Amino acid sequence: MDEQIPVFYVGQHETNRSVPITENVVLQAHACNYDMVTTPVTTPSFHSRILSLLANYNVSENIDENEQVPFPLVPPLTPLDTFLTQNELLAQLPVVIAPWIDLASPDPLIAHISQQVFKLEVAYAAFCGATTVLVYGPKPRYSTTDESSIAQYARAVLEALNIGPYLNLNILLPMVESENEEGTEPIGSLSTFASDRNPSQLDKSPAYDDQRSWDNWNVIRTVCGYHARLSVALSISRHLPTMSIQSRWFAEPLRILELPTASFAKNAKGYPVLTKPIQAFIARCMRLRVTPWLLLTDVGPIPGLNDPDEIFPMSDGFLSPSKTESASQETSTSSSPKPSEPTPAEAASMPVPKKKFKDPTPHLSYIRYLQRNQPPKTMVERFGGGYQDYLQSPLQPLADNLESITYEVFEKDPVKYEWYERAIALALADWHPFGKPASGPDGSVVLAVVGAGRGPLVTRALRAARTANVRVAVWAVEKNPNAYVVLQRQNAEVWEGAVKVVKSDMRAWSGPVWGDGQVGKVDVLVSELLGSWGDNELSPECLDGVQHVLRPGTGISIPASYTAHLTPIASPRLHADIAGRAVADKEAWEVPWVVFLHQMHYLSTTAASDSRTTDGQQQQQQQQQQQQQSSRMEPPTPDVQQAWEFRHPMPQAVLTQSLVRKGGSVVGGGAGGFMGGDGANEHNARFARLRFQCQKRGVCHGLAGYFETVLYDGGRGRGGTEDGVSRTVELSTNPVTMEAKSKDMISWFPIFFPLKEPIYVPDESELEVTAWRLTDDRKVWYNWMVEAFVVIGTRRVRIGQSGLHSSRKNACLM
């Protein structure tokens, strides 16, 4: 199978399985193309014992009404009570805790018995060597009115994690709870025996909340401290909720996707199929770095268990179009003419047709069909697959010399260097028409690539000069002694000596030296110093330091400007990862991490802010837009806001003042820099306060940072386009603008500013983000903090606040 196609790991689950899972059962399941089967911990016999225990207690309590009867104790397991035995097979099977217990019951008797059963089953499963445990989530009807019951459930899960050090617990929860849960309890569920021992906590009719299920999960994982062995088993209903809820669940640690029979619809041929939205959600989840398992629940028994010698065709996913067509698609009757009837002699000689084969596992066959027909991964997904949600420390290109493999990764980008070439070609083509003088002694335009690395921009600059038909003198400046060797070899073997290669820190370079010994100026200064947040790899400081070689008035910089952008996100996976690192590295929470963000959720979207309008017509238009967006199965557009901007070249007056302050002279002021030093680099400090509207609840784990850059603005005075082609060349990692400005660019991953203490964000709230770029003339670092507000009447009330995070101990050295 093509490695670019996701692999589905499909299991078979029966809620009322009453037979033990033996090696023969597993082999038969594999023969049918299931990858696994689930097994319960205890038998129906044990369930009957618990019901008898409960009934006996109720009888004794009624007899001794005036005396307090102690709650009953669940006896130890016996061989009749459990199917599990110690064997290697068990480590490969998901083990299911009894679905009939109710850990979150407000009835203390039911909760007490449920906790005993839960502990017995978890402990025995761990003893037998199980590694994956499926636990049914809290009962829906108690979720909104009794938060303490959910906390009680969460505490039981935490204890289970401590009981089994190798157990991975998966909490089975619906994506959204049904508005009517009556009649869905399993037979013999303890919750049906709950009495009014604590009537203040018992409420059979809570208000419906489509986010209640996620709220329950948030309480559970928070109580458990984002435990690495705690995951979600998400049950998919036939009708998916809004994209906002889907996106929130997508960000959680999904280990299992349950597809019960009710998830499937019937198409015109009566074959089970999944709706387009469910197909899209599964496809999205299968792009995760760790793909979840698919669990088919109550779709029928495993064929051939009663007769293992009977041969069944494997569900390989090769299905006819009629079986896989959408359930909503109408099938038309054939209009082709019927063949002529055979004669009696011909009919007698015809073989008797065999009975049409009926697929014994139609649901599995359909899932295998989906697996075979998953869209292949995009170029960005293929490139970043190994980096999804993987934390990387930011580069220190000024302090460190990059390795060759780092340069190689950058040079694989199919977009960035092509866009740089376009920008250089446009700049050169505009040079003489705009009447700009050239700085070369022979009338050539002087172009310098500073921070040339292994030379990809130099190659593109030479090619752009040929495209623009402009004579250029090219200089390549690089401080890395290892890359300097590569540049010299490139100049001799590829560029045919057309480039002057200089080994120097760009800030110390005096400029191009001509044959007569004169030091000249540069007309076009090209660099690729941008980091994941634009300025985080000290591009402003580097370009300020080399600006003295740029010809005043007419010299240009490529890039000409760049902006930093932020948006709050929920990313439980990154939070848990950093929490694990923080055990050994206390500064892990103070590092702006470079990360290919994937399994996360945007807390503020443009759809959410637009929906606040009170105009009825605009609300209707907004709803239509949201419906269209949902039909395309695209996540809502995030609200990504600009924090600050840098432009180059810097105004000369600013650099002059910076030079005056350097050294602490009287003319430079007596206070010095606010954060230390003389303040010579304070013109590159920045501050931003941004406000984000959050319509739906969530948890803020940090800030996602992006950048946009204008490489060359050729639209000045020309209307921005020429012959329908834009003369402004831009790059962007901003998810809102990347598609239009630099689709499929892979050179930069976003940056992530973590919060040590996550902030709960209620419905219709605001997040206020404050960020600083600070410097003491020797290094540059960032501070950031987040505050949550709700509006009550006319008051804006703060309900949460993070600490002030600072990357000063991990600052970028100048």
Side-chain angles (χ1 to χ4, degrees):
M1 181 176 291
D2 190 342
E3 64 179 3
Q4 296 179 11
I5 301 296
V7 176
F8 288 16
Y9 194 60
V10 187
Q12 190 259 8
H13 173 55
E14 296 178 23
T15 54
N16 296 315
R17 198 187 301 276
S18 58
V19 296
I21 300 300
T22 63
E23 184 176 359
N24 289 335
V25 173
V26 174
L27 292 176
Q28 186 64 20
H30 289 172
C32 296
N33 212 9
Y34 282 112
D35 297 298
M36 58 180 175
V37 291
T38 63
T39 177
V41 178
T42 53
T43 64
S45 173
F46 178 72
H47 186 191
S48 298
R49 287 179 59 196
I50 299 301
L51 293 179
S52 298
L53 185 70
L54 179 60
N56 292 335
Y57 174 82
N58 289 332
V59 170
S60 62
E61 187 181 37
N62 292 332
I63 294 175
D64 301 324
E65 294 182 356
N66 297 324
E67 294 186 14
Q68 183 176 0
V69 180
F71 287 156
L73 299 178
V74 176
L77 297 176
T78 68
L80 294 177
D81 294 332
T82 180
F83 293 135
L84 300 188
T85 58
Q86 289 178 281
N87 56 59
E88 297 180 357
L89 183 66
L90 191 60
Q92 308 170 22
L93 304 178
V95 172
V96 183
I97 299 298
W100 40 265
I101 63 175
D102 188 3
L103 293 170
S105 174
D107 183 341
L109 170 62
I110 299 302
H112 179 73
I113 295 177
S114 297
Q115 289 167 11
Q116 293 182 74
V117 173
F118 182 60
K119 183 177 180 180
L120 275 176
E121 294 198 359
V122 169
Y124 186 69
F127 174 78
C128 291
T131 58
T132 301
V133 176
L134 185 66
V135 184
Y136 282 78
K139 307 302 178 185
R141 61 180 178 278
Y142 305 128
S143 299
T144 57
T145 58
D146 184 24
E147 293 300 333
S148 64
S149 65
I150 302 302
Q152 183 165 271
Y153 180 98
R155 187 194 62 80
V157 172
L158 179 60
E159 291 301 321
L161 290 167
N162 295 329
I163 291 172
Y166 301 105
L167 289 181
N168 295 280
L169 299 188
N170 302 273
I171 310 302
L172 181 60
L173 294 163
M175 188 177 284
V176 289
E177 293 178 355
S178 173
E179 294 189 53
N180 181 15
E181 292 289 339
E182 296 299 327
T184 61
E185 292 295 328
I187 298 176
S189 173
L190 297 186
S191 62
T192 60
F193 297 94
S195 67
D196 58 352
R197 290 178 179 84
N198 194 349
S200 64
Q201 293 187 8
L202 206 57
D203 187 347
K204 295 294 184 180
S205 56
Y208 176 70
D209 182 0
D210 62 359
Q211 300 178 80
R212 183 192 310 157
S213 182
W214 177 85
D215 262 337
N216 291 343
W217 163 249
N218 184 49
V219 172
I220 295 167
R221 60 97 175 275
T222 301
V223 169
C224 296
Y226 289 78
H227 204 290
R229 291 186 284 111
L230 180 65
S231 304
V232 174
L234 192 63
S235 184
I236 309 298
S237 60
R238 183 180 301 182
H239 303 289
L240 291 187
T242 63
M243 283 302 300
S244 175
I245 295 177
Q246 292 182 47
S247 177
R248 188 187 296 111
W249 278 117
F250 175 78
E252 301 297 343
L254 297 177
R255 192 68 187 93
I256 294 174
L257 296 180
E258 187 206 31
L259 294 169
T261 307
S263 300
F264 291 83
K266 296 284 187 180
N267 65 8
K269 295 293 184 179
Y271 204 82
V273 295
L274 296 173
T275 62
K276 295 292 185 182
I278 295 179
Q279 293 178 40
F281 183 76
I282 291 176
R284 187 183 180 195
C285 292
M286 291 303 164
R287 293 297 198 268
L288 291 172
R289 188 178 180 186
V290 179
T291 57
W293 301 342
L294 297 178
L295 201 60
L296 299 181
T297 300
D298 295 333
V299 295
I302 299 172
L305 287 183
N306 297 327
D307 186 4
D309 295 329
E310 188 173 357
I311 303 300
F312 289 95
M314 179 182 290
S315 300
D316 54 12
F318 289 101
L319 299 177
S320 64
S322 64
K323 289 184 177 181
T324 59
E325 65 188 5
S326 173
S328 61
Q329 182 177 343
E330 296 284 338
T331 56
S332 60
T333 56
S334 175
S335 59
S336 57
K338 295 183 179 180
S340 58
E341 296 291 337
T343 65
E346 292 173 336
S349 63
M350 287 182 178
V352 178
K354 295 182 179 180
K355 184 178 181 180
K356 188 176 181 180
F357 170 74
K358 183 179 180 181
D359 189 350
T361 56
H363 300 82
L364 176 61
S365 298
Y366 180 75
I367 292 299
R368 293 303 183 192
Y369 165 81
L370 289 184
Q371 176 182 350
R372 296 190 61 87
N373 290 276
Q374 286 290 290
K377 293 182 179 180
T378 65
M379 179 174 56
V380 174
E381 289 173 332
R382 292 197 302 270
F383 175 82
Y387 297 97
Q388 283 183 359
D389 300 308
Y390 177 75
L391 298 169
Q392 304 175 70
S393 298
L395 295 175
Q396 291 264 16
L398 281 182
D400 304 326
N401 290 320
L402 302 183
E403 299 294 333
S404 182
I405 186 62
T406 305
Y407 289 119
E408 185 175 343
V409 171
F410 294 157
E411 293 166 13
K412 289 180 179 179
D413 194 310
V415 174
K416 180 178 72 173
Y417 292 108
E418 182 179 347
W419 261 236
Y420 261 97
E421 182 180 335
R422 284 178 51 198
I424 297 171
L426 287 171
L428 294 176
D430 287 345
W431 202 263
H432 296 301
F434 280 8
K436 294 183 178 182
S439 299
D442 58 353
S444 59
V445 176
V446 181
L447 186 149
V449 178
V450 291
R454 302 197 310 182
L457 276 183
V458 178
T459 301
R460 294 288 184 161
L462 293 171
R463 189 183 303 174
R466 291 193 294 270
T467 301
N469 195 25
V470 174
R471 187 170 54 182
V472 295
V474 179
W475 294 73
V477 182
E478 177 56 51
K479 74 175 182 64
N480 187 337
N482 305 309
Y484 175 66
V485 176
V486 177
L487 289 173
Q488 293 178 90
R489 182 174 290 115
Q490 286 276 86
N491 194 32
E493 299 177 359
V494 179
W495 304 327
E496 299 178 347
V499 179
K500 301 293 191 298
V501 181
V502 178
K503 182 190 178 302
S504 172
D505 185 315
M506 68 182 72
R507 296 169 294 181
W509 183 44
S510 58
V513 180
W514 306 114
D516 57 2
Q518 295 292 320
V519 178
K521 293 292 183 180
V522 172
D523 296 314
V524 181
L525 193 68
V526 183
S527 63
E528 52 173 333
L529 306 171
L530 301 179
S532 293
W533 208 31
D535 57 82
N536 63 297
E537 292 182 10
L538 304 187
S539 176
E541 286 71 21
C542 292
L543 294 182
D544 284 356
V546 75
Q547 187 171 318
H548 64 275
V549 307
L550 196 62
R551 182 168 182 143
T554 59
I556 66 169
S557 170
I558 298 178
S561 66
Y562 38 91
T563 52
H565 300 254
L566 287 172
T567 190
I569 64 170
S571 181
R573 175 169 182 166
L574 293 181
H575 182 82
D577 193 351
I578 297 173
R581 293 171 181 247
V583 174
D585 179 10
K586 301 301 182 183
E587 297 300 317
W589 295 110
E590 312 301 323
V591 177
W593 297 95
V594 174
V595 57
F596 180 21
L597 296 172
H598 185 68
Q599 194 172 4
M600 57 88 177
H601 169 62
Y602 294 112
L603 294 172
S604 179
T605 62
T606 54
S609 59
D610 291 343
S611 65
R612 288 177 171 269
T613 177
T614 58
D615 187 287
Q617 185 176 3
Q618 291 184 0
Q619 286 185 347
Q620 185 177 6
Q621 292 176 354
Q622 180 66 30
Q623 291 174 355
Q624 292 175 352
Q625 291 176 0
Q626 291 178 344
Q627 290 174 356
Q628 293 173 358
Q629 196 172 43
S630 177
S631 65
R632 296 195 305 268
M633 298 311 298
E634 296 176 357
T637 303
D639 181 15
V640 182
Q641 298 183 25
Q642 178 179 319
W644 49 65
E645 181 181 26
F646 288 91
R647 291 181 175 272
H648 299 285
M650 186 71 70
Q652 189 57 46
V654 175
L655 294 183
T656 300
Q657 185 187 73
S658 172
L659 186 62
V660 169
R661 297 188 70 179
K662 192 173 184 179
S665 66
V666 175
V667 181
F674 184 74
M675 301 305 300
D678 301 323
N681 193 43
E682 274 195 343
H683 63 284
N684 285 324
R686 293 290 188 274
F687 168 77
R689 180 181 288 117
L690 310 173
R691 186 177 295 182
F692 297 88
Q693 305 295 329
C694 303
Q695 187 181 25
K696 298 296 183 180
R697 74 194 69 166
V699 176
C700 182
H701 296 102
L703 307 170
Y706 309 93
F707 79 89
E708 297 182 10
T709 179
V710 177
L711 296 180
Y712 178 70
D713 184 4
R716 294 170 295 180
R718 295 196 179 190
T721 61
E722 185 175 281
D723 298 329
V725 179
S726 174
R727 296 186 56 81
T728 300
V729 183
E730 300 175 83
L731 298 176
S732 174
T733 64
N734 183 343
V736 179
T737 60
M738 184 176 180
E739 184 80 9
K741 294 184 177 182
S742 50
K743 181 182 179 182
D744 292 335
M745 186 176 66
I746 57 178
S747 280
W748 293 277
F749 292 155
I751 202 164
F752 177 65
F753 296 89
L755 299 181
K756 185 176 182 179
E757 298 296 334
I759 298 178
Y760 182 79
V761 183
D763 293 337
E764 300 295 344
S765 59
E766 296 177 348
L767 285 178
E768 190 164 282
V769 174
T770 310
W772 297 261
R773 187 183 197 265
L774 301 171
T775 178
D776 62 1
D777 297 347
R778 293 179 295 276
K779 54 186 178 293
V780 173
W781 68 93
Y782 298 100
N783 285 7
W784 64 96
M785 65 179 294
V786 178
E787 301 166 273
F789 295 86
V790 293
V791 177
I792 302 177
T794 59
R795 294 181 302 146
R796 189 165 177 260
V797 181
R798 181 185 289 105
I799 59 172
Q801 176 181 322
S802 73
L804 178 63
H805 290 263
S806 174
S807 64
R808 188 165 191 168
K809 292 185 179 180
N810 298 280
C812 294
L813 302 177
M814 295 172 58

